[in-house]
Amino acid sequence: MNENILGLVAGGITSVAMLPQLLKVLKEKNVEDLSLMMIIVLIVGLSLWVWYGVLKDELPIILSNAFAVLVNLALLTAYFRYREK
Amino acid sequence: MNENILGLVAGGITSVAMLPQLLKVLKEKNVEDLSLMMIIVLIVGLSLWVWYGVLKDELPIILSNAFAVLVNLALLTAYFRYREK
């Protein structure tokens, strides 16, 4: 398989991976079993992947990780909003 | 910063990102708020990243995603074990 297509597919899948979790949290408004540390570490790590992608000029890495950062930022916001309950 | 060092740091961080979540689940034995779909999609996507890393011969991508696959497989096992409760 062509590397770039594979990268786009892999990037597409991992960048949407946290979406079901975000939707579940927004729907059920429960974050008790979620690890805050996981969310924070993911945001830091994924941001570094974006930087790596920029340096290596690899668009699949940049796009997929940038999208995943956004999803995790939304999850972080939801976490603090629903943790109060 | 050197690309490969950045890649190793980014890979190291994202590969340990799910560990706090796994440890939390193992400790509290609660998976109610976790999205099964997230775990499954992550395993598929991360596995494709390993393949991408192999094709591009980029060790940081291979190692970090392979480790993350293992952590998510453990999380999947824990999910099915504790979902019964």
Side-chain angles (χ1 to χ4, degrees):
Chain A
M1 190 190 284
N2 179 283
E3 291 167 357
N4 288 324
I5 293 174
L6 177 60
L8 283 169
V9 173
I13 292 174
T14 47
S15 53
V16 300
M18 297 301 279
L19 265 185
Q21 182 65 66
L22 177 63
L23 295 176
K24 183 179 170 75
V25 165
L26 292 178
K27 185 179 163 200
E28 299 176 4
K29 307 191 194 323
N30 274 319
V31 295
E32 204 187 329
D33 301 336
L34 278 187
S35 164
L36 173 62
M37 184 60 69
M38 168 194 71
I39 301 170
I40 292 172
V41 174
L42 269 178
I43 291 171
V44 174
L46 292 166
S47 301
L48 291 181
W49 273 122
V50 174
W51 186 11
Y52 177 86
V54 170
L55 289 185
K56 301 275 280 188
D57 200 20
E58 290 184 47
L59 204 58
I61 294 180
I62 298 171
L63 292 181
S64 61
N65 287 290
F67 181 80
V69 168
L70 292 181
V71 174
N72 279 283
L73 283 173
L75 196 59
L76 185 67
T77 308
Y79 183 91
F80 284 113
R81 178 160 173 202
Y82 298 130
R83 194 184 53 166
E84 309 299 319
K85 292 208 323 170
Chain B
M1 189 190 285
N2 179 284
E3 291 168 355
N4 288 324
I5 293 173
L6 177 60
L8 282 169
V9 173
I13 292 174
T14 47
S15 54
V16 299
M18 297 301 278
L19 264 184
Q21 182 65 67
L22 176 63
L23 294 175
K24 185 178 169 76
V25 165
L26 293 178
K27 185 179 163 200
E28 300 177 2
K29 307 191 193 325
N30 275 321
V31 294
E32 205 187 329
D33 300 336
L34 278 186
S35 164
L36 173 62
M37 186 59 70
M38 168 195 70
I39 302 171
I40 291 173
V41 174
L42 268 178
I43 290 171
V44 173
L46 292 167
S47 301
L48 290 181
W49 274 123
V50 173
W51 186 13
Y52 177 86
V54 169
L55 290 184
K56 302 275 280 189
D57 200 20
E58 290 183 49
L59 205 58
I61 294 180
I62 298 171
L63 292 181
S64 61
N65 287 291
F67 181 79
V69 168
L70 292 181
V71 174
N72 279 284
L73 283 174
L75 195 59
L76 184 69
T77 308
Y79 183 92
F80 283 113
R81 178 161 172 200
Y82 299 129
R83 192 183 55 164
E84 309 299 320
K85 292 208 324 170

